[in-house]
Amino acid sequence: MNSTGQTRYRFHDLVRLYARERAEREETREDRLGALSRLLRTWTALTCRAGSTVRLVPRGTGDASEAALVTRLLRVPHAWLQAEHASLRAVVTLADRLGLDRQADILALAHVQALARTSVQAGTPVRRPARHPHPWSAGAVLEGRP
């Protein structure tokens, strides 16, 4: 169970490694990038919703049948953002490494904005990272919890 009260399942590192090796052998680069792009759009939509940020994703990325799931996941937006920080960081880093720079930047920005808004709403003090002049920079989010 994570800090939002949701059950969270994680794959063992060996299972993730095996899945990645199989995907690299059996899927084309375009198919893998397409799957990652869909994942980024979903994470961005959830992150924007968590922070009630301006919509940064194209229309048509969500599905009305997913509304109950989104509502349940985002019951406590700040807790959700904190619980998913490592996953958001990993997917942004992966997308950046694979050349999906624009989508990685949009998700990082959405995460920064959502953390800023929900931190204020939750009354949570925010630590300013020492190496970044602005606490809400994308670099600050990627290096650790602001």
Side-chain angles (χ1 to χ4, degrees):
M1 193 123 358
N2 67 17
S3 62
T4 65
Q6 302 294 318
T7 301
R8 179 70 186 246
Y9 298 98
R10 298 188 189 273
F11 289 108
H12 189 281
D13 290 344
L14 290 175
V15 173
R16 286 197 308 264
L17 178 61
Y18 178 71
R20 184 176 65 207
E21 288 173 355
R22 293 286 305 262
E24 288 172 354
R25 255 185 303 196
E26 298 172 13
E27 303 293 333
T28 66
R29 177 171 169 78
E30 291 77 27
D31 287 343
R32 292 192 314 270
L33 288 175
L36 179 58
S37 182
R38 290 188 300 277
L39 176 67
L40 285 163
R41 285 195 307 267
T42 301
W43 277 107
T44 302
L46 283 169
T47 302
C48 287
R49 176 89 181 265
S52 298
T53 62
V54 175
R55 187 175 181 86
L56 295 173
V57 292
R59 297 210 181 279
T61 59
D63 185 318
S65 66
E66 298 167 352
L69 174 63
V70 170
T71 300
R72 185 170 49 87
L73 286 175
L74 301 179
R75 191 169 292 133
V76 183
H78 188 69
W80 181 82
L81 287 164
Q82 288 182 320
E84 298 301 329
H85 181 81
S87 296
L88 288 165
R89 180 179 174 191
V91 78
V92 166
T93 301
L94 176 63
D96 190 51
R97 193 178 76 218
L98 294 177
L100 296 175
D101 302 347
R102 185 171 187 280
Q103 285 185 280
D105 291 346
I106 289 170
L107 178 54
L109 178 61
H111 189 199
V112 167
Q113 291 176 340
L115 277 172
R117 288 190 174 126
T118 61
S119 293
V120 169
Q121 293 166 355
T124 305
V126 179
R127 292 181 298 132
R128 182 177 176 158
R131 291 183 282 186
H132 292 280
H134 193 277
W136 303 116
S137 68
V141 169
L142 292 178
E143 287 187 7
R145 290 179 194 267

